[in-house]
């Protein structure tokens, strides 16, 4: 019997049941095997291999430059670290916007080459046919509306989205379209809490928020933000649960001091 068979994997069905039961869903990003293993052991429900990797792993200013090959590499590492969590991988910018066939081909590559359990796409009406085509091929799709970082140059800012009535109405329409196209869940990023509540009540699929208030069905944060690794990023929605940046800085400085002073390695730390 494989060790993996002892743990019951979270599925889209589990997530749907959690929404129905009013149980909140926890989601976090990860990009490698080691952190994925820790988050999985902690009991996280969903691990997102987000294209935020472009920022926090690769050092780009926006999410646009990350490639499909890079996402597949990271998703494969995360999948190997996660025994229970449901692993979702972002389709990066340029890998799905062309047409639904391109979207399907990119999704198939992610599923085959990384072993991820689902893909995530940003957008509403403009990608509804792609969502349908991917879902028809048996691949679960998570939608993403509100602040969509892949369109940053269209909007020009990372401010709160859908504050005005017309934009809020459009978002509600898009949420319904994403659901009708077959998505199993939806991420809402940086929108008013009242709108997050309205969408979560209107659609039957789980709605996961990042800066979408307390009434949605679950929450997601980027691991580097939650763990206090990033600095100079303090949106109102972010709660930091650790100060790893300081811990790592202190540990590294102590290590340097110990090497320089010949304290490390000592007699017990050698062969
Ligand atoms: O790329 C990412 O990390 C995301 C989350 C912010 C939802 O899309």
């Amino acid at each position: 019997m494989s060790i993996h068979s002892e743990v019951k994997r979270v599925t889209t069905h589990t997530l749907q049941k959690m929404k129905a039961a009013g149980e909140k869903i926890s989601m976090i990003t990860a990009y490698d095997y080691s952190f994925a293993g820790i988050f999985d052991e902690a009991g996280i429900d969903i691990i997102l291999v987000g294209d935020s990797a472009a920022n926090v792993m690769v050092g780009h200013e926006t999410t646009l430059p990350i490639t499909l090959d890079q996402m597949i590499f990271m998703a494969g590492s995360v999948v190997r670290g996660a025994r229970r969590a449901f692993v979702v991988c972002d389709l990066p910018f340029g890998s799905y916007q062309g047409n639904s066939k391109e979207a399907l081909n990119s999704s198939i590559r992610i599923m085959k080459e990384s072993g991820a359990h689902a893909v995530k796409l940003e957008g509403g009406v403009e990608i509804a046919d792609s969502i349908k085509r991917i879902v028809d091929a048996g691949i679960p799709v998570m939608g993403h509306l509100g602040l969509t970082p892949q369109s940053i140059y269209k909007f020009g800012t990372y401010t709160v989205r859908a504050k005005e009535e017309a934009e809020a109405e459009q978002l509600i329409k898009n949420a319904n379209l994403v659901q009708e196209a077959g998505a199993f869940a939806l991420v809402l990023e940086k929108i008013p809490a009242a709108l997050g509540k309205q969408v979560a009540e209107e659609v039957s699929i789980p709605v996961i928020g990042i800066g979408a208030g307390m009434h949605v069905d679950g929450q997601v944060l980027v691991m580097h933000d939650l763990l206090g690794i990033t600095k100079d990023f303090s949106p109102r929605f972010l709660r930091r649960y650790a100060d790893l940046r300081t811990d790592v800085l202190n540990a590294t400085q102590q290590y340097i001091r110990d090497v320089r002073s010949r304290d490390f390695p000592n007699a017990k730390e050698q062969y």
Side-chain angles (χ1 to χ4, degrees):
M1 188 170 68
S2 142
I3 189 167
H4 291 271
S5 60
E6 289 163 23
V7 176
K8 203 159 181 265
R9 173 83 68 185
V10 173
T11 64
T12 57
H13 186 62
T14 319
L15 300 168
Q16 190 64 58
K17 278 204 303 196
M18 286 176 78
K19 170 158 181 152
E23 275 173 54
K24 297 285 185 185
I25 297 165
S26 59
M27 171 163 148
I28 191 168
T29 68
Y31 316 94
D32 74 349
Y33 169 80
S34 300
F35 272 110
I38 298 172
F39 300 149
D40 192 72
E41 192 180 326
I44 204 82
D45 299 310
I46 306 175
I47 299 180
L48 171 66
V49 186
D51 61 356
S52 49
N55 311 120
V56 296
M57 298 298 288
V58 193
H60 292 297
E61 200 177 313
T62 73
T63 58
L64 275 65
I66 201 99
T67 66
L68 185 57
D69 284 338
Q70 289 167 329
M71 292 302 296
I72 288 170
F73 174 78
M74 288 183 283
S77 313
V78 167
V79 166
R80 285 186 287 278
R83 296 171 65 197
R84 174 186 171 272
F86 188 73
V87 178
V88 181
C89 179
D90 264 338
L91 281 177
F93 177 70
S95 72
Y96 65 97
Q97 287 90 349
N99 56 57
S100 65
K101 187 161 190 286
E102 182 187 43
L104 175 60
N105 288 341
S106 299
S107 304
I108 288 174
R109 278 203 60 203
I110 287 177
M111 302 298 282
K112 272 184 102 78
E113 296 175 38
S114 77
H117 310 126
V119 296
K120 176 164 83 60
L121 289 74
E122 294 182 8
V125 59
E126 68 282 9
I127 54 148
D129 59 337
S130 295
I131 296 178
K132 184 170 183 326
R133 192 158 179 178
I134 299 166
V135 172
D136 284 349
I139 301 171
V141 170
M142 178 178 268
H144 184 154
L145 295 169
L147 173 58
T148 47
Q150 292 180 11
S151 308
I152 183 58
Y153 290 120
K154 179 172 166 192
F155 296 102
T157 88
Y158 287 102
T159 50
V160 180
R161 297 296 197 263
K163 279 166 95 174
E164 305 303 327
E165 204 176 318
E167 206 192 328
E169 271 172 25
Q170 189 58 47
L171 188 141
I172 293 168
K173 264 192 208 152
N174 276 328
N176 280 294
L177 277 177
V178 165
Q179 169 169 265
E180 280 158 27
F184 73 92
L186 174 64
V187 165
L188 290 182
E189 182 164 355
K190 220 168 176 185
I191 61 163
L195 181 58
K197 179 173 192 284
Q198 198 180 338
V199 174
E201 284 171 358
E202 191 158 324
V203 298
S204 58
I205 56 175
V207 174
I208 316 287
I210 172 163
M214 62 174 83
H215 300 290
V216 289
D217 306 305
Q219 299 293 331
V220 56
L221 284 175
V222 169
M223 58 161 279
H224 290 68
D225 300 333
L226 178 156
L227 296 175
I229 298 170
T230 42
K231 55 172 191 170
D232 307 329
F233 181 67
S234 313
R236 188 193 296 187
F237 67 76
L238 174 60
R239 187 182 294 182
R240 291 195 192 279
Y241 287 86
D243 185 7
L244 280 200
R245 188 165 203 288
T246 304
D247 290 346
V248 173
L249 204 58
N250 288 342
T252 311
Q253 285 171 342
Q254 185 62 49
Y255 168 66
I256 294 166
R257 277 195 295 274
D258 289 353
V259 169
R260 288 187 181 155
S261 69
R262 296 178 165 73
D263 179 81
F264 177 78
N266 64 25
K268 287 188 195 148
E269 291 163 331
Q270 63 188 2
Y271 298 99

